[in-house]
Amino acid sequence: MKFVRLLAFAAMAAISTQASAGLIAAYDFDGNAANNTQSSVYNLATVGTADFSKQAYFSDGNSANYLNVTGPGGLTDWTLSLWLFTEQANQGQFKGIFSNLAGPTNANSWQIDSFDGDYRLISANGTNSTIGAVVANDWQHIVVQKFSGSNARLYFNGAFVQNIGYNPGGLQNFRVGINRATTESYTGYIDNIQIWNDSLLTAAAVGELYRTGPGTSSVSDTVAVPAPATLLLFGFGLIMAVRTRLGKK
């Protein structure tokens, strides 16, 4: 299974390269650290303590522990992809997974959180959209794609969910494993975070990101990924182709 996941990660990298050249951050946590493997810029810093022992970041539910970085900011469009695994489907409210800026009222603040058993995107003014239902003990995949500077697309487990019709915010200073108020922490694994500085990742590419799985991890082998031969054929094909619950916490 680990061999399959390595092939999946290679295929995923090929997808990302072909869909968009704007990958600015990739955190696979495979090196037992929070380094950005895309470049030396935007390496996440540990606040408190951090556990990467299973080649994924374990967010322990303690608000004293999370990751953060000063991001590029000023991006008209961007795309965020991340994977989640938890043993607790309903953790309560505002359990932050990925957030931008401290406090809920800044014009560019936003977050992805776990709220009463659902994953949500919530903007600065409290407008929020459900991304999908949390399923315990399985990897789940979220993509948020800001486009045209003031709108966003949501994808969940490889499928398009909706265009939300409002500006989700920016990437000035983002955190992993905590909400924007830095008071509520998600409990579970967060892995293979990728950020692009554009919104060129297609729906088909998002679907392939999901099908290839979260990459190398010893958290669980429950995510079904294509057989190795399928992945290799897919990778070669890409090379040949060359191309609202309210709340403000």
Side-chain angles (χ1 to χ4, degrees), residues 196-211:
W196 292 261
N197 62 2
D198 54 44
S199 57
L200 300 180
L201 206 67
T202 66
V206 171
E208 292 300 341
L209 281 176
Y210 173 65
R211 282 187 285 276

Side-chain angles (χ1 to χ4, degrees), residues 80-146:
L80 167 70
S81 169
L82 56 80
W83 285 87
L84 301 166
F85 183 100
T86 183
E87 296 179 348
Q88 302 177 37
N90 191 336
Q91 302 183 21
Q93 301 181 347
F94 303 107
K95 303 303 180 181
I97 295 161
F98 190 102
S99 62
N100 183 60
L101 294 174
T105 59
N106 185 291
N108 291 304
S109 75
W110 62 280
Q111 69 190 35
I112 297 170
D113 64 18
S114 177
F115 190 99
D116 287 347
D118 287 325
Y119 291 125
R120 308 183 308 165
L121 175 77
I122 180 170
S123 71
N125 64 6
T127 303
N128 65 85
S129 300
T130 298
I131 300 171
V134 182
V135 174
N137 299 307
D138 201 1
W139 282 107
Q140 295 184 281
H141 183 225
I142 291 174
V143 171
V144 177
Q145 191 171 59
K146 180 180 177 179

